[in-house]
Structures are given as C-alpha cells and as structure tokens.
Amino acid sequence: MTEHSTNGKILYTYYIRCYIIAVCLIEFFAFKILDPYYIQFMTTEKGLELTPTQFGFFVSLASAVTSAIDYLTGAFADRLGRRLSWGLAMFCYGAGMLWLSSISAFGPALVTAVLMGISYAFTSGTREAWLYDSVGQEGTRKAFGKLYLYSIPFTAIGMVVAYILGGLGSLRIPIALTGVIIIADGLFIMTFPENYGNYRRRGWLEILKTGFYQFLESRVLWITAVQSFFFTLPIWITTAWWITYMVEQFGVDLKETAFAFGVTSLAAAVTGFYICKIKITDYRKLILWPTLLSALAFLLMPLVHVPWAFVALVIVAIASSYLRGSGITLLENEQISVERATALSFLNTLRSAFWAVAPLLWGTLISALGLKVTFFFAGVASLISLFLLKLALVLRGEDS
C-alpha cells in the first residue's frame, strides 16, 4: 500500500468519524434528552399548553421560514462552505432551545420556531453533501450504517440523563441543556475540513441555476419530493404524538416516558446492523421493504391495548423511517453531480413547503378524529409513499 493510498484511507475514515460524532451528538444524545419532555412542554399544562392547532402553527412557521430561504442557504453552502453552513445551523437551533426554556406563552415561542426554521435551512442537504462529496456513495452508506450503531451508546447516555432530569420535575431544564449541547456540537463541526460545491469557484447566480437544473431534469428527484408530503404524517406521529397517545391511553408518567423513548433506541440498533449487513446499495432493501413495514406498523397501532406492544410497533416504525431515510438520501445524491447542497436545498424547499401545510392539516385531523384514527391514516399515507418510491426506482432504471 502506497503512502498516498494510506493517507487517503485515513482521511476517508476521518470524514466518516467526524460525521458520525456530530450527528450522534444532536440526534441521538441531545434529542434523546429533549424528546421525552419537548412535546409535553409544548402541549400540556406543565409547559405552554398549546392546542394541536397552535402546535401545528408553530411547526408550520418553522417550515415556512425554511422554505423561504432553503434554496439560498444551499447556494451559501456550495459557495462559502458546507461546514460553515452546518455549524451556523447548530448555533441557531441551540439558541432557539435556550430561548424556549425561558418563556411561558405561545407568542414568544414563535421566536424559537423562526430560529429552528433558519437552522433547518442551513443544514438542509448540507451535512450529507459534505459527506457524500468526501467519501462517495458507498462511503456514505457505510457511514449511515455505522452512525446507527454508534448511536446506541450516545442514546444510552442520553436516556440516563433524561431519566435523571425527569426526577427534577422541571421540563425547562432538559430543553435548556439541549440548547447548550447543540451549540457545543456546532463548535465541534467548525473544526472539520471544509468543502464546496465545485472545484471551480462559481458566481452566486451560476450556482443557483446549476442546482435548479439538476433538480428539474431528474424525474426521480421530483417523485421523491412528492412522496415526502404523504410521509409527513408518519413522521409527525413518530417524532411527537405517539408519546402523547401513551400518556393519554396508558397513563405513563415522566420517568416512564423517558424510558419508553430510550427503548425506541433499539430502532437505531436494528437499522445499523441491517445497513452494515448490506454489501452494496440495494434500494429495495433500503427503501421499499422498510416503507411497507412502516405502513403495517401504523395500521396495527390502534389495535394494541398494552404499552409494550405499542412501543414495539413504534420501534418498527422508527427503524423503518431510519432505513428509508438513508436509502432516499443515497438515491437523491446519486442523481446530482455538482452543487449538491444547492440542488438538495431546492428539493428540500418543496419539502419545507409541505411541512408548512401538513402540521396544520394533521393537527386538525387529530383534533377532529383522535390519534387512533390518525394512526390508520398514517398507514395509508405510507402505502401511497411506497407506490411513488417504487415508481421512482422504475424511472431510475429507465434513465440509466
């Protein structure tokens, strides 16, 4: 092995390791501390006590802000650096959490929604573009597999911290701590090597046009964008409302809530082992089968009457979401050659527009019909997503 190839392998491993640690710190540590308390703080008398419609507006506002600036922040990342954009995203999100922990009314909470929207825009497509252009498709797939395996110790520590904080009886402390951790993660990201959308520095207008045309010319990207609207409902449930259902249906307390969130970390373990076992990128195994499993899990959720069975179905739904998310990310990046962050940001602009509407729609649905019926609708939405993704893979084969 030559010195050049050895150095290349070391750098390859370094990029993957940096990505894994940065993502684990926010998604599998900070968010595991936040998740058991966030929805309770937002929707119960222990916090802001928002109605489903108000909470839907909060999420919709964040998505509207993202949609308004997403395309421009993608060009920002390709022009000035993906690392810089990713770090700024963490600073905005952390500041939003610190602000949220200090307020007591719906109006001031909208400041956090705006900061979250800015954060989503800066990170939209950026961190995957940073990784994909550094290690390629197979390196990105391996990074996803290792990410979910490494997430297990991060989740375990986050679960312990969340459980301890549950004993303090305050929902504000976990939210504030989450803000501090995410800002620290931003500082860590700023130590990474920088990369850009093209080796030749382009002007702003040229970057925007190149990213837009790459999206416009790909039928696969159009379909993955459209299917994401239908999957907003399953995501909406697995990130928020399933824990509200457990509190209302099974009467779990704060510590039991934190424990339930910790148990769902098994989803990440299943995902990591599964992706690592796949030798090459197989979109049927990464996208189609997980989406079908997601549909079945949601259709069964209203039928179970014990907490452990319900949590088991949530684990299936979350693991399926992780798998299909990894597969769709690989599929979308495969369609793009240059100005990756800009093209992905245009794609995510459409998704943000969907998220600006979807929470209001799903909040109204939950208020009118209840969570049990909403689980059924989530199953149907997953099946529609499955059909569209199958179509995208057929078109991918034709384009090839």
Side-chain angles (χ1 to χ4, degrees), residues 369-386:
L369 301 178
L371 280 169
K372 274 195 174 184
V373 177
T374 305
F375 290 145
F376 171 76
F377 278 95
V380 173
S382 297
L383 292 175
I384 296 173
S385 174
L386 175 63

Side-chain angles (χ1 to χ4, degrees), residues 144-145 148-149 266-276 318-320 322-323 326:
F144 287 158
Y148 293 120
L149 290 176
L266 291 172
V270 171
T271 304
F273 282 117
Y274 185 79
I275 294 177
C276 288
I318 293 175
S320 299
Y322 286 159
L323 282 169
S326 299

Side-chain angles (χ1 to χ4, degrees), residues 298-318:
F298 282 111
L299 292 172
L300 290 172
M301 283 180 190
L303 305 179
V304 300
H305 302 288
V306 290
W308 65 265
F310 180 78
V311 171
L313 291 173
V314 171
I315 290 172
V316 172
I318 293 175

Side-chain angles (χ1 to χ4, degrees), residues 246-380:
M246 282 195 67
V247 172
E248 294 177 351
Q249 188 74 14
F250 305 117
V252 298
D253 59 22
L254 277 178
K255 286 190 173 183
E256 289 169 335
T257 298
F259 181 74
F261 264 102
V263 170
T264 58
S265 65
L266 291 172
V270 171
T271 304
F273 282 117
Y274 185 79
I275 294 177
C276 288
K277 187 177 179 181
I278 299 174
K279 299 302 181 183
I280 59 173
T281 300
D282 185 335
Y283 290 123
R284 288 178 307 145
K285 295 178 180 178
L286 284 173
I287 297 177
L288 299 184
W289 287 113
T291 306
L292 178 59
L293 283 175
S294 173
L296 294 174
F298 282 111
L299 292 172
L300 290 172
M301 283 180 190
L303 305 179
V304 300
H305 302 288
V306 290
W308 65 265
F310 180 78
V311 171
L313 291 173
V314 171
I315 290 172
V316 172
I318 293 175
S320 299
S321 180
Y322 286 159
L323 282 169
R324 54 169 267 131
S326 299
I328 290 170
T329 298
L330 291 171
L331 176 63
E332 290 170 348
N333 276 277
E334 183 186 71
Q335 309 301 308
I336 303 167
S337 56
V338 293
E339 314 301 3
R340 191 175 307 280
T342 307
L344 290 174
S345 289
F346 187 83
L347 170 63
N348 288 328
T349 296
L350 299 180
R351 288 188 173 135
S352 299
F354 296 153
W355 274 104
V357 175
L360 296 174
L361 176 63
W362 306 141
T364 302
L365 181 68
I366 292 170
S367 297
L369 301 178
L371 280 169
K372 274 195 174 184
V373 177
T374 305
F375 290 145
F376 171 76
F377 278 95
V380 173

